[in-house]
Amino acid sequence: DTAVSQTPKYLVTQMGNDKSIKCEQNLGHDTMYWYKQDSKKFLKIMFSYNNKELIINETVPNRFSPKSPDKAHLNLHINSLELGDSAVYFCASSQVAGSSYEQYFGPGTRLTVT
Amino acid sequence: DQQVKQNSPSLSVQEGRISILNCDYTNSMFDYFLWYKKYPAEGPTFLISISSIKDKNEDGRFTVFLNKSAKHLSLHIVPSQPGDSAVYFCAAPHYNQGGKLIFGQGTELSVKP
């Protein structure tokens, strides 16, 4: 059983398009996160939701919009994709909001914008 | 401002020997640290953690040491195995900012047979 799953694993698209990445966790956790790993391999937080409520919103362009329909799902929608959005995006989940401790990560979605 | 730093981008070790991965931090508010292991095309997986009330935590072949005065921690792997070849990230939760994990840049460990 996959604890944190993401779809798709690979996404190749053109500049200006709108795309979504989906994330689901079956761990019963109440907090979910989106991280971005850029070309320099830095892993940086983008968003966090606790029980469908946004609790972390880093300095991310507003072309990025997370949506959490329920606490097991956190999707990431990106409008008007740009070349600089090319990266690997990881979803993660943890049990306790405000105290991340161990976060469980999905396999990542490699987004390539051409 | 990189609050968690791993200054060695890569490390090569012979199988059976000890691997030592280092991590430094600047924020004295950090009181919990985690190590993650990442294989190519996979997400990071939790390896071991340490609270600031301890200076050592051991789990099988993996031991993490914390030196609070130096704001330094290290991960020791003994003995190293080829399957340990991966990128290792240290991280700290930032409680004042929603508990987000602040990651170091990672160290790529290569264990040669």
Side-chain angles (χ1 to χ4, degrees):
Chain A
D1 277 348
T2 304
V4 182
S5 59
Q6 294 179 229
T7 53
K9 190 163 175 66
Y10 299 95
L11 183 54
V12 181
T13 188
Q14 291 184 325
M15 285 174 54
N17 285 348
D18 303 339
K19 290 293 179 186
S20 292
I21 307 171
K22 295 186 176 182
C23 178
E24 176 180 2
Q25 54 96 3
N26 62 7
L27 297 166
H29 290 166
D30 50 20
T31 306
M32 296 184 72
Y33 310 82
W34 277 110
Y35 286 85
K36 178 180 179 181
Q37 186 177 34
D38 61 22
S39 57
K40 294 183 179 178
K41 307 299 183 188
F42 285 100
L43 267 164
K44 290 187 177 176
I45 186 77
M46 299 175 68
F47 302 102
S48 175
Y49 270 74
N50 174 252
N51 280 322
K52 303 193 296 177
E53 182 180 343
L54 183 67
I55 57 171
I56 297 175
N57 186 348
E58 291 292 290
T59 308
V60 175
N62 57 17
R63 299 182 293 103
F64 290 78
S65 54
K67 283 188 172 52
S68 181
D70 55 62
K71 74 175 193 176
H73 296 84
L74 179 62
N75 303 323
L76 184 65
H77 188 75
I78 315 170
N79 290 328
S80 304
L81 278 155
E82 300 178 356
L83 292 176
D85 298 331
S86 296
V88 182
Y89 293 84
F90 290 99
C91 177
S93 71
S94 69
Q95 182 56 39
V96 181
S99 175
S100 53
Y101 296 106
E102 294 129 36
Q103 294 182 12
Y104 294 80
F105 284 79
T109 296
R110 180 174 292 276
L111 171 65
T112 303
V113 183
T114 61
Chain B
D1 176 29
Q2 193 68 17
Q3 299 182 69
V4 177
K5 300 177 186 178
Q6 293 174 258
N7 292 319
S8 298
S10 62
L11 175 67
S12 184
V13 170
Q14 207 68 30
E15 181 179 5
R17 306 295 291 266
I18 184 171
S19 296
I20 301 176
L21 296 99
N22 294 304
C23 179
D24 298 296
Y25 61 97
T26 58
N27 191 331
S28 56
M29 298 295 291
F30 289 159
D31 63 2
Y32 195 89
F33 302 90
L34 306 94
W35 282 93
Y36 279 83
K37 177 179 179 179
K38 185 183 180 305
Y39 291 119
E42 294 184 12
T45 55
F46 170 73
L47 189 59
I48 192 169
S49 62
I50 189 166
S51 165
S52 63
I53 62 174
K54 294 184 174 182
D55 53 20
K56 176 183 173 181
N57 188 26
E58 191 172 351
D59 183 1
R61 295 185 298 113
F62 303 91
T63 302
V64 56
F65 295 91
L66 175 62
N67 182 335
K68 290 186 288 294
S69 60
K71 294 192 179 69
H72 176 82
L73 60 153
S74 59
L75 174 68
H76 292 213
I77 307 173
V78 181
S80 302
Q81 299 173 354
D84 296 329
S85 298
V87 178
Y88 290 79
F89 292 94
C90 70
H94 200 311
Y95 300 118
N96 289 344
Q97 296 187 23
K100 67 182 183 183
L101 281 178
I102 310 294
F103 282 90
Q105 308 94 304
T107 296
E108 183 169 8
L109 174 65
S110 175
V111 180
K112 304 209 180 296

